[in-house]
Amino acid sequence: MAKIGRNIGLVWMYGKWIILAGGLYNLACTSFLAWAFSYAGLVVAFILKLLFTAVVLYLHHQFEDRDAVFFYINLGLSRKRLMAATLSIDFGFLLLLEILIALCR
């Protein structure tokens, strides 16, 4: 159980700016969908989320501290695993919010 908590903390340390930027997009997108709901809007939100995430990942890659990655590798986590966990949290949050909006309509 302690290992899971440690991994969650490491994912937060590694991808907090990705999660925060994605969270801002998620909140803005779901507020627009709550105001003017459409099922096509749900699909468009995910397509725009892919484009937004690509830009955020590019900026993350450009401004990432190269030496900091070795900290996570020494703790037994790979860069791909950290990125997959970060993106899963980000897209899972959007999916959860869109499901809640669809159920409320």
Side-chain angles (χ1 to χ4, degrees):
M1 190 66 171
K3 186 175 181 179
I4 293 172
R6 181 185 69 118
N7 287 347
I8 291 172
L10 290 173
V11 167
W12 174 252
M13 283 175 47
Y14 178 75
K16 74 177 130 186
W17 296 113
I18 296 171
I19 294 172
L20 291 175
L24 287 176
Y25 171 83
N26 294 343
L27 292 176
C29 184
T30 54
S31 65
F32 285 127
L33 283 172
W35 181 59
F37 180 77
S38 71
Y39 288 106
L42 297 174
V43 176
V44 171
F46 263 99
I47 292 171
L48 291 176
K49 175 70 173 180
L50 290 173
L51 296 173
F52 180 79
T53 303
V55 171
V56 169
L57 289 178
Y58 174 75
L59 292 173
H60 175 73
H61 183 69
Q62 291 298 319
F63 296 112
E64 180 181 38
D65 185 15
R66 306 283 184 214
D67 296 332
V69 176
F70 292 111
F71 170 74
Y72 301 105
I73 292 172
N74 288 336
L75 291 174
L77 297 171
S78 68
R79 178 185 280 184
K80 289 180 183 178
R81 185 174 175 191
L82 285 168
M83 190 57 68
T86 303
L87 293 177
S88 297
I89 291 169
D90 190 22
F91 277 91
F93 185 56
L94 178 64
L95 182 66
L96 178 70
L97 289 174
E98 287 187 352
I99 287 172
L100 288 174
I101 287 175
L103 290 176
C104 290
R105 288 288 171 168

